[in-house]
Amino acid sequence: MHAVPTFRKGGVHPPDQKVFSREQEIVRLPLPSELVVALSQHLGAPAKPLKAKGDAVEKGEKIGESVGFISADVHSPVNGTIKEIKTVTLANSVQCDAFVISVDEKQPEDVPKPVDWKKLKKEELLASVKEHGIVGLGGATFPTHVKYAVPRDKNVEYFLVNGADCEPYLTCDYRLMLEKGKEALEGALIAAKILEAKKIIVGVELNKKDAIEHLKQIISEEAWPIEVVGLKVKYPQGDEKQLLKATINREIPSGKLPIDVGAVVSNIGTCYAIYEAIVYKKPLYERIISVTGEGIVNPKNILAPIGTKVSDLLEFCGGLQGEVEKLISGGPMMGFAFFDTETPITKGSDGILALAAKKKARQTPCISCGKCVDACPIGLVPTLMYKQITNHNYEVAMNSLSLMDCKECGCCSYVCPAHLPLVHTFKTGKKMGRKK
Ligand code: SF4
Ligand code: SF4
């Protein structure tokens, strides 16, 4: 019997907690009266505002222009008026300017006229990906047009699609695969054309067998050259390094990218966004987000405009219940705890979690058990990095202990019996190290 594909080093098995929202079909959020659309919702330089207070905006209109090499355009999700431009703090603590848009009561009807993408050249497709503001929707928000601009001296053998959906609680990618699987797979074909990739592989964890079967059926009906691989349920299976190891048995050396070993990785949600951008000329102005956890009255998978305030999402889900310990943007392993429910969602928001209060675990000194070392999928030594950073030796942590290779996956924090804030310390250590 063949072993189930996975990565070998480290990883953890947190309870998947998808039960709250996995059966919930994607529902569209009724339009809120106001949206807060941030100019920095991607990795790289914030977009330059193209509108001023009092200006009217149209649905799909570009309102923020990418600045510099790594940046992405921002589009209005609605017809409305710019009420003001103000500084906001996003859930990941990034501060940036944002358009506050007062939403018109009457909105234009979407009349989709599909484009035959097969007639377009790869350069035209890539330009369209840029024009529609596509970024990686798996959380990293790296501008897709930059990732897909393959240097002349590199070749893409594999285009890997991350359908692992490995973060506990989140079900947006699972629902997407079930409900929009065909479109997402067609998006993968478009991406592969841009990249001139020779092979497309979609990796999905085996706790989503129905999604795997569904995708396989579409592929067989359409006779598309795509392979779906069922992966062992193990966190962080969806990280590009781990996905590469599991699907094509290649390792990315320290400081290198998937392209250096002949692969490009995108999330399944990004493939869907590419499909919509190319086939329906639809900019990335809305996304599917899971609002879930013990503390949500009616957990849901919601198609919401970018810029929706968390308070509007919570209200749509019947509000909070019980004693909620914290709100998290993203999953419990890699997400960001936040408090202000007026915070808007961005292109990278895949989940809002309301976690029930638990008995507070007491932090104790490190007992040198080595569990964090065993759990790290990158092969780092979290206990030593933690000691160096807490002693303000950022350069040692960076140069001798490869702090910058840390993926902030949270496996070390998850297993630490001393409940040390390891991943939080590494995030701070990276920031301080960069400053130095
Ligand atoms: S957060 Fe960083 S150090 Fe901790 S397990 Fe993940 S990659 Fe390793
Ligand atoms: S898991 Fe925690 S207690 Fe154990 S070695 Fe790592 S930091 Fe120390």
Side-chain angles (χ1 to χ4, degrees):
M1 207 173 94
H2 288 297
V4 180
T6 189
F7 58 98
R8 283 195 211 107
K9 213 185 295 169
V12 291
H13 296 92
D16 88 0
Q17 304 287 30
K18 296 191 189 270
V19 62
F20 298 99
S21 58
R22 66 175 290 151
E23 300 306 326
Q24 300 299 319
E25 286 181 14
I26 300 163
V27 281
R28 184 179 280 281
L29 181 79
L31 266 187
S33 58
E34 187 178 278
L35 298 175
V36 181
V37 181
L39 283 157
S40 183
Q41 15 184 336
H42 47 264
L43 212 68
K48 181 179 88 181
L50 298 176
K51 295 281 175 181
K53 185 177 169 180
D55 284 352
V57 291
E58 285 183 9
K59 185 175 182 177
E61 184 181 357
K62 184 158 84 172
I63 55 176
E65 187 167 57
S66 66
V67 176
F69 180 56
I70 299 179
S71 185
D73 292 341
V74 174
H75 301 79
S76 175
V78 289
N79 279 16
T81 308
I82 306 286
K83 215 161 140 186
E84 62 173 317
I85 298 177
K86 68 172 185 182
T87 304
V88 293
T89 304
L90 303 175
N92 60 1
S93 301
V94 167
Q95 281 202 333
C96 67
D97 284 344
F99 291 113
V100 180
I101 303 176
S102 167
V103 178
D104 286 356
E105 267 183 35
K106 207 162 174 301
Q107 293 292 325
E109 294 254 337
D110 287 328
V111 195
K113 282 192 213 114
V115 167
D116 182 4
W117 62 269
K118 293 187 190 84
K119 290 187 179 148
L120 299 176
K121 292 195 196 107
K122 68 170 207 149
E123 293 77 13
E124 292 169 313
L125 294 169
L126 184 62
S128 193
V129 165
K130 177 177 188 301
E131 201 181 303
H132 292 96
I134 310 299
V135 302
L137 295 189
T141 64
F142 192 80
T144 304
H145 66 277
V146 182
K147 187 187 254 191
Y148 288 6
V150 179
R152 280 178 196 280
D153 60 334
K154 310 256 187 228
N155 286 316
V156 183
E157 209 176 323
Y158 292 97
F159 177 56
L160 303 181
V161 181
N162 172 19
D165 201 25
C166 67
E167 267 270 9
Y169 288 92
L170 303 184
T171 52
C172 52
D173 287 349
Y174 167 65
R175 292 309 314 182
L176 176 83
M177 288 187 277
L178 283 183
E179 297 179 43
K180 298 285 178 191
K182 190 171 173 195
E183 293 85 346
L185 289 173
E186 198 164 344
L189 290 173
I190 297 170
K193 179 169 178 180
I194 298 172
L195 295 162
E196 296 181 329
K198 294 183 183 57
K199 200 154 186 221
I200 307 170
I201 301 177
V202 186
V204 185
E205 278 191 348
L206 281 166
N207 58 354
K208 291 171 274 290
K209 283 203 173 107
D210 49 352
I212 294 175
E213 287 315 311
H214 181 60
L215 296 182
K216 282 186 175 173
Q217 195 184 336
I218 296 165
I219 289 165
S220 124
E221 282 167 11
E222 300 292 329
W224 280 340
I226 303 177
E227 186 187 345
V228 178
V229 176
L231 306 170
K232 189 168 176 180
V233 182
K234 186 172 160 191
Y235 179 84
Q237 190 69 82
D239 180 87
E240 50 187 27
K241 221 168 188 164
Q242 276 61 52
L243 195 65
L244 247 92
K245 184 70 191 162
T247 51
I248 57 171
N249 197 23
R250 291 191 186 175
E251 294 198 13
I252 311 171
S254 169
K256 298 283 181 189
L257 297 167
I259 188 72
D260 296 309
V261 293
V264 169
V265 184
S266 281
N267 177 266
I268 189 90
T270 313
C271 293
Y272 180 61
I274 290 171
Y275 169 85
E276 293 218 296
I278 303 291
V279 177
Y280 290 116
K281 300 190 173 179
K282 183 177 158 191
L284 180 50
Y285 58 63
E286 59 186 9
R287 69 155 295 148
I288 304 161
I289 179 167
S290 302
V291 180
T292 181
E294 304 86 0
I296 301 286
V297 174
N298 298 309
K300 292 184 198 300
N301 296 295
I302 304 170
L303 179 62
I306 304 296
T308 300
K309 289 182 253 180
V310 171
S311 56
D312 288 320
L313 291 172
L314 294 178
E315 194 187 324
F316 185 55
C317 293
L320 297 173
Q321 64 181 2
E323 205 184 323
V324 173
E325 184 192 356
K326 58 181 165 185
L327 290 173
I328 293 179
S329 169
M333 300 297 285
M334 290 193 75
F336 301 89
F338 69 101
F339 304 98
D340 183 5
T341 56
E342 292 306 284
T343 303
I345 64 162
T346 60
K347 294 177 183 179
S349 305
D350 47 6
I352 298 294
L353 309 187
L355 300 186
K358 288 196 201 101
K359 221 174 120 213
K360 279 258 180 303
R362 200 165 59 86
Q363 190 178 315
T364 57
C366 172
I367 55 167
S368 302
C369 65
K371 284 188 176 168
C372 56
V373 182
D374 293 340
C376 180
I378 309 296
L380 304 176
V381 188
T383 173
L384 292 184
M385 295 195 317
Y386 180 76
K387 281 176 196 154
Q388 293 298 341
I389 294 167
T390 45
N391 286 327
H392 308 288
N393 295 328
Y394 306 114
E395 273 139 353
V396 177
M398 283 170 70
N399 301 333
S400 308
L401 297 168
S402 306
L403 170 65
M404 299 319 266
D405 284 348
C406 168
K407 296 285 205 170
E408 302 174 13
C409 67
C411 291
C412 50
S413 299
Y414 181 75
V415 296
C416 178
H419 306 291
L420 296 173
L422 297 173
V423 68
H424 177 76
T425 306
F426 303 153
K427 285 179 190 174
T428 314
K430 282 184 183 179
K431 265 191 214 151
M432 298 306 289
R434 276 196 204 103
K435 267 191 199 162
K436 282 215 154 195

